[in-house]
């Protein structure tokens, strides 16, 4: 059986690696063809990246990226369609909610190739987010929907997705966190950055709704400054540009460093006091390492984190951010929300069972 795996962003390589390892371990007879659309070009995605993370290298790189959402999606569909017509896989496997996810699903559906969607059923209910459109459309195209949480399963049922298509498997990122924790390493930082003291707040800011709005971006940095907490902020070059454009001065309690790799990131998540982020994935990773999270958004697709007390939505309000970072406490609940760490194995077994 042939399976085409479509990925386009760096986090998807890590998610796909979980499933690829499960294919190799439990179903070595399955031929997986990994296709990188090129949506996010990352100069750091070198041989070292794949070797350190034990990630299979893509069989194909379509080289699509750098355009608008519409341009990229259209170009991806065109190239993926040609490849799928040549390979004729039994399944196309897509992850998450990127343009690559939607392109892979649409290309397969037009060719009557069944689609399996990992991370199905997530909803922020904010249709201004491109990711929300991508995930909703992909879910209603897919034949197998692998929900990471019970909330995801309920969302799909409420939208009329047949129950037999929905599989509650847990979160592949939980699998990844367990697998890579032993490989995590402390990033190289200037000696004045004391990460062993009373505890630092790990912060990431990248969403366009925050970075592209000068008022929101200034409010976020004001809240970080007013909290007085020691903030460690690995800043993406794009965010750095927006900070400069908005003429934001960085306070002394905010340590800005270059972006870090995944192994360094999970070390920071495991060793920080608290996480402040606008990322979807980092919200979950904070929970995996039992660290409270303050999310600088007004909604989240990971609602169970908010309901359990591990996550607090603070938006872009300087006061909310300050209050959240000056009253950090651990929730009482430590229940598992994302499965037992075997999501990859379950996904592989269910795809394999589909041909029977």
């Amino acid at each position: 059986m042939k399976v085409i795996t479509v990925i386009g962003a760096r986090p998807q390589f890590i998610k796909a690696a979980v499933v690829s390892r499960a294919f190799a371990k439990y179903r070595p007879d399955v031929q997986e063809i990994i296709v990188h659309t090129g949506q996010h070009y990352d100069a750091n995605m070198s041989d070292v990246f794949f070797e350190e993370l034990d990630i299979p290298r893509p069989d194909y790189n379509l080289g699509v990226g750098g355009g608008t959402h519409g341009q990229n999606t259209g170009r991806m569909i065109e190239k993926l369609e040609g490849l799928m017509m040549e390979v004729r896989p039994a399944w196309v496997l897509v992850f998450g909610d990127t343009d690559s996810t939607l392109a892979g699903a649409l290309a397969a559906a037009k060719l009557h190739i069944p689609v399996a969607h990992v991370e199905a059923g997530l909803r922020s209910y904010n249709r201004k987010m491109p990711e929300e459109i991508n995930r909703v459309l992909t879910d209603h195209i897919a034949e197998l929907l692998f929900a990471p949480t019970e909330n995801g399963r309920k969302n799909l049922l409420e939208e009329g997705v047949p129950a037999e298509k929905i599989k509650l498997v847990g979160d592949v990122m939980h699998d990844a966190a367990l697998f890579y924790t032993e490989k995590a390493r402390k990033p190289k930082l200037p000696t004045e950055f004391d990460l062993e003291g009373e505890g630092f707040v790990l912060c990431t800011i990248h969403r366009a709704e925050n970075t592209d709005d000068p008022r929101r971006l200034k409010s976020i940095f004001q809240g970080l400054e007013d909290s007085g907490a020691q903030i460690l902020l690995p800043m993406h070059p794009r965010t750095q540009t927006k900070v400069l454009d908005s003429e934001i001065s960085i306070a002394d309690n905010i340590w800005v460093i270059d972006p870090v790799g995944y192994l360094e990131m999970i070390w920071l998540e495991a060793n920080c006091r608290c996480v402040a982020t606008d990322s979807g994935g980092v919200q979950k990773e904070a929970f995996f390492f039992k660290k409270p999270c303050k999310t600088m958004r007004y909604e989240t697709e990971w609602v169970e984190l908010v309901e359990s007390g591990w996550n607090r939505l603070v938006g872009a309000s300087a006061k909310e951010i300050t209050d959240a970072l000056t009253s950090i406490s651990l929730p009482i609940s430590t229940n598992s929300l994302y499965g037992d760490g075997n999501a990859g194995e379950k996904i592989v077994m269910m795809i394999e069972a589909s041909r029977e």
Side-chain angles (χ1 to χ4, degrees):
M1 181 171 73
K2 295 179 181 178
V3 174
I4 283 183
T5 294
V6 179
I7 46 184
R10 187 166 178 162
Q12 290 177 320
F13 277 85
I14 298 166
K15 296 171 188 176
V18 170
V19 180
S20 293
R21 278 193 296 272
F23 273 130
K25 183 175 181 179
Y26 300 105
R27 288 295 183 266
D29 56 316
V30 173
Q31 181 184 357
E32 184 188 21
I33 299 101
I34 301 176
V35 181
H36 179 18
T37 64
Q39 178 179 337
H40 288 175
Y41 172 74
D42 190 337
N44 292 324
M45 209 173 279
S46 61
D47 288 345
V48 173
F49 172 82
F50 294 102
E51 290 168 4
E52 288 183 347
L53 297 185
D54 192 23
I55 292 176
R57 290 169 175 77
D59 298 284
Y60 297 90
N61 191 322
L62 304 184
V64 178
T68 64
H69 287 289
Q71 289 172 334
N72 286 344
T73 305
R75 292 167 184 162
M76 290 174 196
I77 292 172
E78 180 179 7
K79 292 194 174 186
L80 285 167
E81 182 181 59
L83 181 58
M84 290 175 190
M85 290 175 67
E86 177 185 341
V87 174
R88 286 292 171 184
W91 283 91
V92 168
L93 183 62
V94 296
F95 293 77
D97 52 22
T98 69
D99 291 343
S100 299
T101 310
L102 179 59
L106 283 171
K110 298 291 186 180
L111 295 173
H112 308 293
I113 301 170
V115 174
H117 184 202
V118 178
E119 286 192 338
L122 304 184
R123 298 292 182 267
S124 68
Y125 297 102
N126 179 359
R127 290 295 180 95
K128 292 182 179 180
M129 293 173 58
E131 296 89 348
E132 182 77 354
I133 302 300
N134 292 341
R135 62 174 72 110
V136 170
L137 292 177
T138 300
D139 280 340
H140 287 271
I141 289 170
E143 290 297 318
L144 270 179
L145 298 96
F146 296 115
T149 65
E150 177 61 24
N151 277 321
R153 189 185 73 85
K154 290 178 180 177
N155 289 339
L156 294 168
L157 290 173
E158 289 174 0
E159 293 177 8
V161 176
E164 61 270 19
K165 291 185 175 183
I166 307 168
K167 311 297 180 184
L168 181 60
V169 296
D171 196 317
V172 291
M173 287 306 291
H174 186 198
D175 295 29
L178 293 173
F179 180 82
Y180 289 116
T181 294
E182 293 184 0
K183 299 174 179 286
R185 60 168 179 258
K186 182 178 180 180
K188 294 180 180 179
L189 300 172
T191 54
E192 62 267 25
F193 290 178
D194 178 17
L195 300 186
E196 310 298 338
E198 63 182 28
F200 64 96
V201 174
L202 176 63
C203 180
T204 72
I205 308 167
H206 81 279
R207 284 194 177 272
E209 63 198 66
N210 286 330
T211 61
D212 293 358
D213 184 332
R215 292 175 59 186
R216 287 182 65 148
L217 194 58
K218 288 179 181 178
S219 181
I220 287 171
F221 273 91
Q222 189 64 58
L224 296 175
E225 177 181 352
D226 291 347
S227 73
Q230 291 299 314
I231 311 289
L232 184 65
L233 174 57
M235 189 180 290
H236 191 278
R238 181 178 175 278
T239 305
Q240 180 74 57
T241 298
K242 296 295 183 178
V243 168
L244 293 174
D245 290 345
S246 301
E247 298 181 345
I248 296 172
S249 59
I250 306 297
D252 291 340
N253 66 312
I254 303 173
W255 302 334
V256 174
I257 62 173
D258 291 333
V260 297
Y262 181 67
L263 295 180
E264 290 84 5
M265 187 64 178
I266 61 174
W267 187 94
L268 291 172
E269 290 165 345
N271 288 275
C272 70
R273 180 186 176 204
C274 172
V275 171
T277 187
D278 59 9
S279 163
V282 174
Q283 293 175 51
K284 286 186 301 174
E285 288 166 359
F287 174 76
F288 297 154
F289 294 106
K290 296 298 181 281
K291 300 301 168 68
C293 183
K294 317 302 178 181
T295 297
M296 296 175 289
R297 290 166 55 186
Y298 291 100
E299 72 286 311
T300 179
E301 52 274 27
W302 304 106
V303 295
E304 61 281 340
L305 290 175
V306 177
E307 293 169 351
S308 66
W310 282 95
N311 195 355
R312 174 177 169 182
L313 298 178
V314 296
S317 164
K319 183 179 185 305
E320 285 286 331
I321 293 169
T322 298
D323 290 347
L325 294 181
T326 53
S327 58
I328 300 172
S329 60
L330 290 174
I332 297 175
S333 171
T334 58
N335 294 337
S336 174
L337 300 174
Y338 298 104
D340 54 11
N342 292 316
E345 177 183 347
K346 293 174 184 176
I347 288 167
V348 164
M349 295 300 188
M350 289 174 183
I351 290 176
E352 174 74 10
S354 69
R355 65 164 146 181
E356 297 177 355

